[in-house]
Amino acid sequence: MEWVRGYYVVDGPSTIIVEDGTIDILGYRVGKGATLTVPYGRRIPIKIDGIVSVRPSYLNLKPANPQSYDIIDTIASKIIDFNRVVIVGPTDSGKSTLSLWALNKALSRGISKAYYLTVDIGQNEVYCPGFESLALINPPAIPGYTGSFRDIKLCFVGSFTPRESLDKYLECASELASKADGMLIVDTDGWIKDEGLRSKAILASTIKADIIIALGLSTEEVRLLKETSNIDTLSFPKLVKSEKSVEERKIHRERLIAQKLIGSKPRLVSIEKVILENIPLFKGKSLDRSIVKNLSPVLVYAEILKDNSIVAVYRGKKPNNIQGILLSEGWEKGLLAAVYGIGVHVGIVDKINYEKKMVIVITAYEGPIEKIEIGKARLTFSPL
């Protein structure tokens, strides 16, 4: 192996071993003996001054433009002058790369704590899509590599886009940001059209950001972001050229969720023994089967609330003679859930047994369950 000097990108999945010399990776320098992991689907810029091994193949190591590396490094150097930073931009604009580059750089310069808050609930690579997460950085932090993060704190939104749960999205961001007692960078999702841009401005204002970094936004979008948030905003072009398709992002999201469900089993849980949140059922008095059938022969279950309104589940054709909340049988299947017990865990709702008042949730968690919070996002694949 020869001594190498220069700028490169590494395509994942790859493992880089520093045999001698140094590597600068996303703003952090490592030396002889260091082993770095680049996850599947990621392309990471590095600067080599040494001897390296690349597994599974040197074909994953490609020469890169030094100017591209230096541009990101320069922006990251500006960011670390601020304590609370929100990065905003469209999908695949380089937000995650810049966030971790700046945090790595801050740690390399002696900062004691660097927090990464991802509110990209559609592509959360720190924990799982559907959740927002706050984590301390283990440098060098690399996008998509779970070993880069520790002391992870979670907040369940239950959707893959803020459009469906905007209040919860902002509430989670505020809650998690309040737990950061050091430098904080917030990596946002790519929803910037209309209400999306306004939501980012509200988020930045809510967490008391010192600066907003705008990537790939138009002059008008930057102006609106700054005026709505009343926070100084620095604007830069997109930092990456490649973009994932909608289908590629969906596949990646499902892979991230599937990783959290490895070893999952169906858990049969009594609805009367756990807290069940975010569903309209089991909040009133259950009606006897004879009364339910008199209301409509297609009803499977019904209950009456304190205001005398009815919540019911029907099979087949929706009845038109009942006023209230009507749910089709099987409405719950595939919904993403947060399972609370010893910590917070990922779950998928499989089925509700209305007669026995039991819910079947698929999860890798095997401990006691205290609460199940059901989201709006639905999986299109079976975790079993």
Side-chain angles (χ1 to χ4, degrees):
M1 291 184 287
E2 297 181 354
W3 195 281
V4 176
R5 287 188 178 90
Y7 296 83
Y8 296 84
V9 291
V10 183
D11 290 331
S14 292
T15 299
I16 310 167
I17 302 170
V18 184
E19 307 289 354
D20 202 355
T22 62
I23 286 181
D24 288 1
I25 180 165
L26 300 183
Y28 199 87
R29 179 166 292 179
V30 295
K32 183 177 179 179
T35 299
L36 307 170
T37 300
V38 179
Y40 174 86
R42 283 291 182 177
R43 168 170 282 190
I44 302 299
I46 63 174
K47 184 167 69 172
I48 302 175
D49 186 5
I51 300 173
V52 299
S53 298
V54 181
R55 299 173 183 170
S57 170
Y58 276 100
L59 294 175
N60 289 0
L61 183 69
K62 301 176 176 66
N65 183 354
Q67 187 177 5
S68 299
Y69 186 100
D70 291 339
I71 287 172
I72 303 178
D73 196 58
T74 299
I75 299 172
S77 296
K78 294 179 180 179
I79 289 176
I80 62 176
D81 290 333
F82 301 94
N83 191 52
R84 291 203 160 200
V85 182
V86 174
I87 299 183
V88 178
T91 299
D92 295 325
S93 56
K95 298 186 297 294
S96 298
T97 298
L98 179 60
S99 296
L100 296 182
W101 197 307
L103 290 168
N104 282 334
K105 203 170 189 68
L107 287 167
S108 71
R109 293 190 179 181
I111 192 171
S112 59
K113 288 184 178 180
Y115 288 91
Y116 178 58
L117 170 54
T118 176
V119 299
D120 187 354
I121 52 178
Q123 302 284 309
N124 185 337
E125 295 179 316
V126 175
Y127 184 69
C128 181
F131 291 77
E132 293 181 13
S133 57
L134 174 74
L136 281 167
I137 294 299
N138 283 327
I142 298 172
Y145 177 52
T146 55
S148 299
F149 312 102
R150 60 186 174 90
D151 296 341
I152 300 173
K153 295 176 175 60
L154 304 171
C155 189
F156 182 64
V157 179
S159 302
F160 296 145
T161 170
R163 292 183 186 90
E164 298 176 349
S165 307
L166 186 54
D167 289 344
K168 182 67 172 177
Y169 167 84
L170 293 171
E171 178 187 322
C172 279
S174 177
E175 175 188 325
L176 291 174
S178 69
K179 298 177 181 179
D181 58 352
M183 182 182 181
L184 171 69
I185 294 184
V186 183
D187 180 10
T188 63
D189 59 278
W191 180 36
I192 59 168
K193 297 300 181 184
D194 305 320
E195 189 68 15
L197 194 64
R198 181 174 175 272
S199 73
K200 304 303 181 291
I202 294 172
L203 185 154
S205 179
T206 300
I207 71 160
K208 297 180 172 57
D210 301 312
I211 194 77
I212 297 174
I213 303 298
L215 298 180
L217 298 185
S218 68
T219 302
E220 178 63 14
E221 287 170 332
V222 172
R223 184 188 67 80
L224 288 172
L225 191 59
K226 185 175 181 178
E227 287 185 358
T228 306
S229 66
N230 198 30
I231 295 171
D232 287 340
T233 303
L234 298 178
S235 177
F236 301 95
K238 288 179 63 175
L239 301 178
V240 296
K241 296 180 180 179
S242 61
E243 292 187 14
K244 298 185 184 73
S245 67
V246 173
E247 184 62 24
E248 286 173 328
R249 293 179 68 79
K250 178 185 175 184
I251 291 171
H252 184 55
R253 176 168 60 244
E254 291 182 346
R255 181 167 54 245
L256 292 171
I257 296 171
Q259 288 173 351
K260 286 297 178 183
L261 294 171
I262 293 173
S264 290
K265 298 177 181 178
R267 297 279 306 270
L268 189 62
V269 182
S270 171
I271 291 169
E272 296 177 340
K273 294 182 179 180
V274 300
I275 299 170
L276 201 59
E277 289 191 351
N278 293 346
I279 68 169
L281 293 165
F282 311 115
K283 300 181 185 300
K285 181 181 178 181
S286 301
L287 299 178
D288 292 338
R289 287 183 62 83
S290 58
I291 297 175
V292 171
K293 290 303 178 183
N294 283 334
L295 287 172
S296 173
V298 300
L299 292 187
V300 175
Y301 171 83
E303 62 185 54
I304 187 166
L305 304 181
K306 290 181 179 180
D307 61 0
N308 290 324
S309 62
I310 289 178
V311 181
V313 179
Y314 64 91
R315 178 182 297 146
K317 187 177 180 181
K318 183 177 181 179
N320 54 19
N321 64 325
I322 298 174
Q323 298 297 317
I325 299 174
L326 298 177
L327 303 169
S328 175
E329 186 180 36
W331 66 273
E332 73 281 8
K333 189 173 182 63
L335 289 176
L336 185 68
V339 178
Y340 297 81
I342 303 173
V344 187
H345 309 270
V346 180
I348 306 297
V349 180
D350 184 56
K351 187 177 181 180
I352 294 176
N353 185 317
Y354 298 98
E355 184 176 347
K356 296 182 179 180
K357 289 196 173 181
M358 305 288 285
V359 59
I360 299 175
V361 60
I362 299 169
T363 180
Y365 174 61
E366 297 180 345
I369 296 176
E370 299 174 358
K371 182 174 78 171
I372 300 173
E373 186 176 0
I374 298 177
K376 296 179 180 179
R378 192 183 305 274
L379 269 67
T380 57
F381 70 95
S382 173
L384 296 179

